[in-house]
Amino acid sequence: MAAQTEEERTRTNTFQLQPKENWKRVCLIELLDPAAALVNIVTYHRRQAYFDDEQTRNDVWNAITKTEIRDRFQPTLGRAITDKLLDKCDETWDGFFTQLDDYHDGDREDRPSPPGYCKDGGQRVLKTVVRNDAYTVEWGEHSRIELALGSELKEKYGIPFNQRLRVPIRGNPQYEGHGGRLELVYDRSTESFTAHQPVTFRHDTTRAAASGDEDVVAAVDVGANNFVAVTTTNGHQAVFDARPLFDRFHRITERIAELQSQLPDGEHSSRLIEKLYDRRRRQRDHAQDALIRYLARLFEEWGVGEVYVGKLDDVREEHWSAVVNEKTDLFWAHGRFRRRMHEVLDGECGINVEEESEASTSSRCPQCGEEESVGRNGDVFQCGGCGFEGHSDVVGSENFLSEVVDGNVEFNTGRPMARPADSGQNGPEWRHREVPRLEWDDHEWRRRGHSTKEEPANRSTRKGNLASGVSR
Ligand SMILES: [Zn+2]
């Protein structure tokens, strides 16, 4: 029996604020706008002092006093938010001066730039930090956040002095624990308020050790059919269906092409086109980041210590069509995907991430090893050798896993994904009946009510460029 061990961990919950009344939306913006102004004003005065050769570093720090800032912003923002923003400014400048010292000491090659303004396209970026005593979050039937505001802002919106602004929230709190400094951001293009809440909790590390699965390895396969499929050496699997997401991505792409065709000669872009590019990217990044967070949670639950992510580069040159390349580069943004996997899994969860080529992993039957008489029809993989039938991207992740762990890990049962046989069913074996399937609904990845079995039948007409036999 392993000794009980605990360690402190910090993770981030992300959720959406969904004010139903318009006045609450306006009130939130009237909170975020001065918060952004505060940071920019401090930045302005410190930059002025910094670029003035006559002034010392001390002058930079005192270019504008905290009293001046508090007098101006506290009535709107309240004391807690005002002070937290001032702390944040100081952290930023501290970081800059540290880099500058490193540069002067020769520990750094490029000279760092002083902190800049919080702006995007000429407008202030509407965001703030909220000290942990200035908000409460409650999850339940009526999930909500309550924010402390300054007295003037409360008065303006008729909020009693002893109450806070209450706003419904929506999301999937992944971590429970002590909430830290909350970050609140308004996205003008999607008109949405997003909160990032770091949470600190005691993590019991006994469980993973006690289960004897210290060497659990997971393989993550990014399939060209808009799926991410995962298989682990202790028999867990999951598949993420990104098709609705891609469809939306593609609609924006089409709209961009249409607008581009209407541009006057000599012009290559317009504000609207730029905006659409931006929206398309944000939506994708949001879903991708949420996917990686979801994977991180699953991997912790399953005791995964090492993850292999498929590297597509060498596969593409041989087999991939232009359309698939476009999908991989733009939609999956594969480079970004792998980078975020490293940042979140490696950096935050201590799970080792490796990249490995996954060439030819989906043209072999995972059950009998047949490579010739196999085919795929849409999402369905079929083997003529043994009659096996399964989800083709899940097959890809199974084979990918077998390849990367060959000789390194012992599968418990000969096959990693052994599941109880499905007794009441005739016909070809459908092995991926039990694999949980998740779909993006704009806010989070949700588990769908039914299994993977129902899908392929009505999707099988969508073959696209991926004819059977062609690798992925
Ligand atoms: Zn077979």
Side-chain angles (χ1 to χ4, degrees):
M1 182 75 194
Q4 174 149 338
T5 45
E6 277 195 342
E7 61 183 40
E8 194 158 274
R9 289 193 172 184
T10 301
R11 299 284 186 272
T12 303
N13 284 330
T14 296
F15 52 88
Q16 304 290 321
L17 275 66
Q18 300 194 310
K20 291 199 173 61
E21 302 89 345
N22 192 51
W23 72 265
K24 284 188 181 174
R25 297 187 69 83
V26 180
C27 182
L28 281 171
I29 287 170
E30 287 191 16
L31 174 73
L32 293 174
D33 190 52
L38 183 159
V39 174
N40 283 343
I41 286 168
V42 172
T43 306
Y44 169 80
H45 286 278
R46 287 189 178 160
R47 283 175 69 97
Q48 294 288 313
Y50 174 76
F51 287 114
D52 181 345
D53 291 338
E54 310 272 294
Q55 309 223 29
T56 64
R57 194 174 284 195
N58 220 11
D59 294 328
V60 173
W61 282 113
N62 296 316
I64 183 163
T65 67
K66 295 195 171 175
T67 310
E68 284 173 81
I69 292 288
R70 284 195 189 109
D71 287 348
R72 177 165 167 190
F73 288 97
Q74 211 166 291
T76 321
L77 300 175
R79 177 69 181 244
I81 292 178
T82 305
D83 280 3
K84 213 65 206 170
L85 286 165
L86 285 168
D87 285 351
K88 196 165 187 234
C89 291
D90 287 355
E91 284 168 23
T92 310
W93 281 84
D94 254 335
F96 163 63
F97 283 132
T98 306
Q99 290 178 347
L100 194 64
D101 290 340
D102 287 347
Y103 169 74
H104 289 308
D105 293 346
D107 294 336
R108 191 191 151 93
E109 283 197 6
D110 50 321
R111 189 187 174 93
S113 311
Y117 300 103
C118 210
K119 271 190 176 178
D120 184 19
Q123 285 182 301
R124 284 202 278 262
V125 173
L126 296 184
K127 70 175 176 187
T128 190
V129 285
V130 183
R131 203 167 71 191
N132 64 348
D133 58 352
Y135 75 89
T136 52
V137 168
E138 255 186 69
W139 291 102
E141 200 184 334
H142 300 289
S143 299
R144 62 170 190 249
I145 187 169
E146 295 190 347
L147 289 162
L149 310 177
S151 53
E152 277 183 14
L153 197 54
K154 282 209 263 195
E155 203 174 321
K156 182 171 176 185
Y157 289 98
I159 303 168
F161 79 96
N162 58 349
Q163 284 182 23
R164 295 176 165 197
L165 175 68
R166 182 183 292 184
V167 182
I169 54 176
R170 185 181 155 158
N172 185 7
Q174 305 195 12
Y175 305 104
E176 273 182 59
H178 181 68
R181 180 173 81 181
L182 184 96
E183 190 185 84
L184 186 58
V185 193
Y186 179 69
D187 182 337
R188 287 190 173 91
S189 65
T190 57
E191 299 186 353
S192 59
F193 299 92
T194 304
H196 302 281
Q197 180 199 25
V199 171
T200 309
F201 55 93
R202 306 290 302 170
H203 177 73
D204 182 357
T205 54
T206 321
R207 192 183 40 167
S211 70
D213 287 333
E214 282 171 81
D215 293 315
V216 175
V217 179
V220 177
D221 177 285
V222 178
N225 261 9
N226 302 321
F227 290 98
V228 171
V230 183
T231 300
T232 71
T233 48
N234 58 348
H236 290 288
Q237 292 187 306
V239 57
F240 296 78
D241 182 355
R243 204 169 252 146
L245 189 64
F246 178 74
D247 288 346
R248 206 143 40 93
F249 186 88
H250 191 61
R251 280 200 295 278
I252 301 181
T253 308
E254 286 177 329
R255 177 83 183 117
I256 290 171
E258 188 190 330
L259 288 168
Q260 277 169 337
S261 70
Q262 295 162 356
L263 286 171
D265 281 348
E267 282 185 29
H268 302 291
S269 191
S270 68
R271 276 193 60 139
L272 181 56
I273 290 173
E274 294 303 314
K275 223 170 142 175
L276 286 170
Y277 271 125
D278 196 47
R279 178 176 308 167
R280 195 183 67 168
R281 179 183 54 77
R282 276 166 203 252
Q283 286 180 353
R284 178 203 64 203
D285 290 355
H286 181 198
Q288 198 173 73
D289 287 344
L291 168 66
I292 291 168
R293 298 262 165 220
Y294 201 107
L295 284 174
R297 197 157 51 103
L298 285 181
F299 290 161
E300 293 210 321
E301 206 176 284
W302 296 342
V304 171
E306 189 162 30
V307 176
Y308 283 86
V309 189
K311 221 162 70 176
L312 297 170
D313 316 279
D314 26 355
V315 187
R316 280 195 294 178
E317 283 173 26
E318 297 166 51
H319 300 293
W320 285 51
S321 70
V323 176
V324 175
N325 280 346
E326 191 186 344
K327 194 178 269 183
T328 322
D329 291 335
L330 295 176
F331 176 58
W332 279 121
H334 214 261
R336 181 186 189 274
F337 183 75
R338 284 181 310 199
R339 176 172 59 78
R340 291 293 295 150
M341 290 284 279
H342 279 290
E343 282 170 5
V344 174
L345 296 178
D346 247 339
E348 294 179 24
C349 310
I351 297 172
N352 188 31
V353 178
E354 300 284 343
E355 297 176 18
E356 195 72 43
S357 167
E358 48 170 296
S360 78
T361 51
S362 61
S363 53
R364 187 177 66 243
C365 173
Q367 188 156 281
C368 70
E370 175 65 39
E371 293 187 18
E372 300 298 322
S373 310
V374 293
R376 55 182 292 174
N377 188 353
D379 303 337
V380 183
F381 176 96
Q382 282 171 316
C383 172
C386 68
F388 169 87
E389 195 176 273
H391 186 292
S392 42
D393 288 306
V394 180
V395 165
S397 74
E398 289 179 12
N399 285 337
F400 182 35
L401 182 70
S402 304
E403 260 171 40
V404 295
V405 300
D406 200 14
N408 292 326
V409 175
E410 256 180 68
F411 295 146
N412 297 334
T413 55
R415 283 287 158 205
M417 64 304 294
R419 300 222 160 241
D422 188 36
S423 44
Q425 200 73 26
N426 294 319
E429 182 194 359
W430 175 265
R431 200 172 54 198
H432 300 137
R433 173 178 304 283
E434 305 291 331
V435 176
R437 183 186 182 113
L438 295 112
E439 206 172 270
W440 178 248
D441 77 348
D442 262 14
H443 297 284
E444 59 192 313
W445 291 91
R446 280 179 181 278
R447 198 167 158 158
R448 299 182 35 153
H450 47 85
S451 73
T452 48
K453 172 65 176 168
E454 284 87 345
E455 289 312 297
N458 50 33
R459 304 269 200 193
S460 55
T461 46
R462 295 219 213 173
K463 269 199 290 187
N465 297 289
L466 295 157
S468 41
V470 173
S471 175
R472 300 175 40 75

